[in-house]
Amino acid sequence: MSSTVVNGKTCEIERPEASLLAFLRSELGLTGVKAGCGEGACGACTVLVDGQPVLACQLRAGQVADRAVTTIEGLADAGSEPLHPVQRALIAERASQCGYCTPGIALRASALLAEHPDPGDEQIAAALDPCLCRCGCQQRIVHAVHRAAALARGDDHADDPPGAGPPARTVLGRPARPWDMCGPEERDWFGVLGDGLVTVWPPSAPGTWPRSGGAWLHVAASGTVTAFTGKVDVGQDNTTALRLLVAEELAVDPAEVRLVQGDTDLCPYDQGTFGSRSMPDAGQALRRAAAGAREVLAGRAPLAGTRRVEVLAAEPPLTSPSRWTTAGRPYPAPRADAVTGTRCFVSDLRRPGLRHGAVLRPPVPGAVLRTVDTRAAEAMPGVIVVRDGELVGVTAPDPGTARRAVAAIGADWDQPGSGPADLPAYLRAHPVDGEGWQRAVDSRAGDPEAALAAAPTAVQATYTTAYLAHVPLETRAAVAEWEDGRLTVWTGTNVPFAVRARLSQELGIGEAAIRVIVPPVGGGFGGKHGDEAIEAARLARGAGRPVMVHWSRAEEFQWGYLRPMAVIDVCAGLDAAGSITAWDFLDINAGASGFDFPYAVPNRRLRYQPAASPHAQGPYRALAATANTFARESHIDALAYAAGTDPLRFRLRHLDDERLADVLRAAAGRFGWQPSWRPAGRPVWQDGQWVWRGAGLAIGLEKGGRVATCAEVVVDGTGQVRVRRIVTGYECGAIVNPDTVTSQIEGGMVMALGGALFESVEFSHGRIARPSLSGYRVPRFTDVPELDVVLLDRPDLPSAGAGETPLIAVAPAVANAIFAATGRRLRSLPLLPEGRIR
Ligand code: FES
Ligand code: FES
């Protein structure tokens, strides 16, 4: 038997034909090595072999015989410090969000610095390009590599020691009944948390949950505060901001505050973490609960031996943000677990007796199973075939065997016809009126039809945006375990209570018997709503053992849903003085978010017409606000040029939202906006060729936030476009945690850039044509331009979120910049599906 040395220890290789990834993760338990694509396209599985970065999914275990393998768990051992300079620098620069990409990037960066102790920006980007960071931390990671180089040279000692940050995610014992399903007096607070004071906000009877969530918290005799919210953290780090708010109201050190999130047995009911509602809903509720505790505790003796529950009947007064001393400023020293590989994501979980599941999928969505033959799968050692309703699946001792077993199942399907070729025409021809975000909207002011007819200048155009995939780096995963008729599911979702309800419905058991726990999640972006949890629960019930289901990248593309395509018709009129007099806007299919109209136009109509999408679609970060803002701000730009007015002045002249005007001025000022920029100006000689430079801007207001984005592009003679710089100004009321807000804005800009330039789901015969990361391009290190953020703090206003609105003005700013450079108005996203202007 051959062997290898992994992190300094000799390990025998029993199955040389297994992938190196499976060997390290499954056989050695080194879960810092992540799986993201299985095809060498994401870099999450990066390890070092004899000091060189390799992709563990692309090698067999036998290929590293007699060689030295280093995983993130062994990186620090190479040096004398407790952490490698790269790890220290990544922490100091706050260069991760969900952290799923971080181990692979840290290893690749360490290999770069070993060869090139002082690399430049382009060298760093090129070296890290095999690694994806879907959260958009690339710029911070590049800064971290520079900082690591300085640390290694001894030029920089300014890194924060890790470990003083938020405590690890808290999982407490299971109560007899979920706490949101019984009244405060019935909850086993003190058995779970010990003596102390509990405050609950708002008062509500069991089963009458506040739709916007509530909060409760426990103050122990030791002073430790445990706060509970139904909002979850899916990598965006709302945790730190919420802890700061609790600490502020209670006047305690944030290190004394732990937050319990994403546990349906213990947390207040919540509809879900979407719509940028963490600060407005959970933040406010936690502040109330904390302020109530402060009032109860004022002047009282310590809590030892006390068991007191206060359901706050009246709103306790809150500390004004203008007097904040803890919230409103960066909180130092985030945790080290992302850089050491010890952050335990859903796909890293292990339970006693855990089996791995895989599910038989139809060849295309909508296909109906006619016959199935599972005999070959059943004959495989260790495989259990499960049939539960329409689900046919297997469980096996390891993921590879599960996949081979499900592939061995023979099945015949009735297949639907292939989908429409002309998607915009199809959506126009299939209107529906749905529920929730798919409810039709038709709002009007004045008489837009008459105003358009009377306008001396009318500008009419249609804009489209493509279906997009969420592409979280960690694909959907769930672990399900049954015990005495009760079910526990660990899964990465932003809607744990909705998943609990779906599990109840699909499995035919009461919600009170189901606990959903959300561990750290490798990105979600609005797309993880629980199908994998139902599959895991059914397979676990059938197999009688805990089961993990971890979707492949192809399943993630094909069986997750998509951001809706948009078809948007806009017609607007200008009077002789160049003022907008009429505005008619129709969104087909995408949704009405981003509809808030910031301009003073007396006659306007805003319509949203839902359509029967031929492809599964649903929530996505910022949802339709990106499409609607793209269409509106592209059209406003076209009107500005039709009026012969600088686009900045034109917007400021028409804006009737002062907050947004402030943000626009701030962003344009930081960008150095020049009114002299005009379409298709003279080319300039740059880097050995003639290029055209252009700048564009766009604004938006959504979910209580105000955003303005300026972009600069460079276009060469072949039509190739490079986005050189993006500046985003953002105002979201009182800022709770400026560092997280900035990080969210930077990540949002990167994510939006992908949808602006090249992301697009293509279809063939009714299914996604290339369901892989090599077939669907998302931004990489070399795609990321210089990013700059201007924050406007408004302590006089309520806090709004920052996870979505910062995305929405990027695409129109880039499109307007391309127009300024070339005179070409591009009206479909992505703007450059073939990499250059056609
Ligand atoms: S590159 Fe190996 S899992 Fe993506
Ligand atoms: S932090 Fe990079 S993928 Fe989430």
Side-chain angles (χ1 to χ4, degrees):
M1 187 181 300
S2 59
S3 65
T4 183
V5 176
V6 179
N7 299 333
K9 279 173 46 181
T10 301
C11 305
E12 292 187 342
I13 302 174
E14 291 181 14
R15 296 191 304 126
E17 75 285 0
S19 77
L20 178 58
L21 176 60
F23 171 66
L24 294 171
R25 278 184 65 86
S26 300
E27 297 184 27
L28 302 187
L30 295 168
T31 54
V33 191
K34 303 298 182 194
C37 68
E39 59 163 340
C42 78
C45 64
T46 298
V47 298
L48 304 181
V49 174
D50 296 337
Q52 294 301 309
V54 301
L55 301 172
C57 70
Q58 298 298 296
L59 286 183
R60 301 276 158 215
Q63 290 178 276
V64 298
D66 303 322
R67 302 175 72 181
V69 178
T70 305
T71 71
I72 193 69
E73 290 88 347
L75 180 63
D77 292 342
S80 55
E81 295 279 344
L83 292 178
H84 187 280
V86 167
Q87 292 169 309
R88 291 158 55 202
L90 286 166
I91 294 169
E93 294 288 338
R94 282 83 167 147
S96 67
Q97 290 184 21
C98 77
Y100 197 79
C101 67
T102 310
I105 286 173
L107 287 163
R108 201 166 277 275
S110 72
L112 171 70
L113 292 180
E115 274 191 35
H116 304 281
D118 192 15
D121 281 355
E122 288 182 11
Q123 202 174 7
I124 296 169
L128 300 184
D129 219 38
C131 292
L132 285 178
C133 176
R134 187 58 171 152
C135 297
C137 301
Q138 286 90 344
Q139 180 164 285
R140 287 175 180 235
I141 292 166
V142 171
H143 291 168
V145 176
H146 286 299
R147 190 165 190 162
L151 286 167
R153 288 194 304 268
D155 292 350
D156 185 345
H157 303 283
D159 56 331
D160 302 327
R169 197 155 302 202
T170 303
V171 176
L172 299 169
R174 183 169 202 176
R177 292 181 64 201
W179 283 359
D180 67 315
M181 292 186 170
C182 49
E185 69 290 345
E186 300 171 84
R187 294 175 197 152
D188 182 20
W189 302 108
F190 306 107
V192 172
L193 296 159
D195 293 350
L197 167 70
V198 169
T199 55
V200 179
W201 173 264
S204 58
T208 58
W209 307 307
R211 290 170 66 81
S212 60
W216 43 73
L217 64 78
H218 171 272
V219 184
S222 65
T224 297
V225 180
T226 307
F228 298 80
T229 172
K231 296 288 182 217
V232 299
D233 189 338
V234 286
Q236 76 276 38
D237 192 23
N238 57 11
T239 306
T240 302
L242 295 173
R243 290 172 64 237
L244 290 176
L245 289 173
V246 171
E248 178 70 55
E249 292 298 340
L250 273 166
V252 299
D253 185 335
E256 295 297 320
V257 180
R258 59 177 177 169
L259 194 67
V260 179
Q261 295 176 272
D263 185 333
T264 58
D265 262 11
L266 301 174
C267 296
Y269 173 83
D270 185 77
Q271 282 187 302
T273 306
F274 49 75
S276 293
R277 301 301 303 169
S278 289
M279 290 308 117
D281 292 348
Q284 281 299 99
L286 284 165
R287 288 176 74 195
R288 296 276 180 218
R294 183 192 61 214
E295 285 194 336
V296 173
L297 290 169
R300 303 285 166 91
L303 291 158
T306 301
R307 293 187 164 194
R308 179 170 174 181
V309 177
E310 287 287 334
V311 180
L312 304 169
E315 288 192 5
L318 302 178
T319 307
S320 165
S322 59
R323 292 179 23 238
W324 281 349
T325 56
T326 301
R329 55 202 67 202
Y331 183 64
R335 296 200 325 264
D337 61 350
V339 304
T340 57
T342 52
R343 185 171 293 181
C344 185
F345 295 88
V346 186
S347 51
D348 299 329
L349 285 171
R350 294 293 176 265
R351 302 292 300 169
L354 181 73
R355 294 174 68 82
H356 296 266
V359 171
L360 181 69
R361 308 279 180 198
V364 292
V368 177
L369 187 61
R370 265 204 319 243
T371 62
V372 64
D373 181 353
T374 58
R375 286 171 295 181
E378 282 160 4
M380 294 172 70
V383 170
I384 298 171
V385 173
V386 176
R387 297 196 65 169
D388 184 337
E390 293 182 350
L391 177 139
V392 180
V394 303
T395 73
D398 62 89
T401 303
R403 296 230 167 261
R404 286 191 294 278
V406 90
I409 295 175
D412 282 329
W413 302 86
D414 281 329
Q415 296 193 30
S418 58
D422 186 341
L423 286 166
Y426 184 91
L427 294 172
R428 281 187 192 282
H430 291 81
V432 295
D433 197 0
E435 293 294 316
W437 68 269
Q438 291 179 302
R439 192 186 300 275
V441 172
D442 189 348
S443 75
R444 57 188 301 143
D447 189 343
E449 292 81 6
L452 274 171
T457 303
V459 179
Q460 185 165 9
T462 294
Y463 300 83
T464 62
T465 68
Y467 286 102
L468 292 193
H470 300 84
V471 197
L473 199 52
E474 182 192 35
T475 56
R476 281 156 228 240
V479 173
E481 183 173 284
W482 293 82
E483 190 179 13
D484 301 329
R486 299 179 80 191
L487 170 66
T488 302
V489 174
W490 294 260
T491 190
T493 179
N494 52 329
V495 288
F497 290 90
V499 170
R500 184 180 71 178
R502 285 187 66 194
L503 285 162
S504 168
Q505 195 172 23
E506 302 264 351
L507 297 163
I509 59 171
E511 282 194 60
I514 301 169
R515 182 182 198 179
V516 176
I517 297 173
V518 181
V521 185
F525 316 118
K528 291 182 170 174
H529 283 200
D531 290 347
E532 67 282 16
I534 292 163
E535 292 167 0
R538 284 189 157 147
L539 291 173
R541 181 163 67 179
R545 302 266 289 277
V547 169
M548 172 183 286
V549 169
H550 187 188
W551 284 15
S552 68
R553 181 56 63 181
E555 288 176 303
E556 177 70 37
F557 273 104
Q558 194 69 49
W559 301 104
Y561 52 81
L562 305 173
R563 189 187 78 176
M565 182 179 197
V567 181
I568 299 174
D569 299 326
V570 193
C571 188
L574 291 173
D575 65 15
S579 294
I580 310 172
T581 53
W583 180 265
D584 187 3
F585 187 97
L586 170 63
D587 173 309
I588 299 168
N589 190 54
S593 54
F595 256 31
D596 287 344
F597 195 72
Y599 300 105
V601 176
N603 306 290
R604 61 178 188 264
R605 187 176 186 191
L606 292 161
R607 284 175 289 163
Y608 161 47
Q609 175 56 64
S613 170
H615 304 289
Q617 61 181 23
Y620 188 101
R621 193 178 186 185
L623 196 56
T626 300
N628 291 328
T629 306
F630 167 63
R632 187 192 66 230
E633 290 300 305
S634 296
H635 212 70
I636 290 287
D637 214 63
L639 292 171
Y641 282 103
T645 310
D646 169 65
L648 172 61
R649 280 186 48 204
F650 188 78
R651 283 178 172 81
L652 288 172
R653 176 147 68 92
H654 286 88
L655 269 175
D656 69 354
D657 184 298
E658 256 321 297
R659 290 172 62 188
L660 191 46
D662 287 345
V663 176
L664 176 56
R665 287 188 200 97
R670 175 74 67 87
F671 184 78
W673 180 265
Q674 296 292 329
S676 58
W677 271 321
R678 281 290 182 267
R682 296 163 66 89
V684 295
W685 186 254
Q686 184 176 303
D687 299 332
Q689 60 179 337
W690 291 103
V691 298
W692 286 258
R693 295 173 61 191
L697 51 82
I699 57 175
L701 73 166
E702 168 72 351
K703 300 185 171 81
R706 267 73 174 164
V707 66
T709 298
C710 303
E712 180 185 346
V713 303
V714 178
V715 185
D716 70 16
T718 70
Q720 187 137 14
V721 177
R722 184 166 68 88
V723 180
R724 213 187 73 73
R725 190 162 62 108
I726 302 178
V727 175
T728 287
Y730 192 56
E731 190 254 277
C732 52
I735 295 173
V736 180
N737 183 354
D739 192 63
T740 304
V741 171
T742 305
S743 175
Q744 283 295 299
I745 296 170
E746 290 171 356
M749 285 193 272
V750 174
M751 191 168 203
L753 195 62
L757 295 180
F758 39 68
E759 282 188 51
S760 173
V761 174
E762 305 298 329
F763 302 93
S764 172
H765 304 292
R767 57 176 294 155
I768 294 175
R770 300 181 65 201
S772 64
L773 281 178
S774 56
Y776 183 91
R777 184 178 170 197
V778 295
R780 291 182 176 273
F781 276 85
T782 49
D783 294 313
V784 175
E786 182 185 327
L787 305 174
D788 199 356
V789 173
V790 190
L791 292 184
L792 285 80
D793 189 16
R794 290 289 301 268
D796 54 318
L797 295 171
S799 302
E804 300 186 88
T805 304
L807 276 78
I808 65 179
V810 170
V814 171
N816 295 339
I818 291 173
F819 174 76
T822 67
R824 293 279 306 279
R825 178 73 65 194
L826 303 180
R827 295 191 176 89
S828 290
L829 298 184
L831 300 166
L832 308 168
E834 291 157 17
R836 61 189 70 229
I837 300 173
R838 279 179 279 194

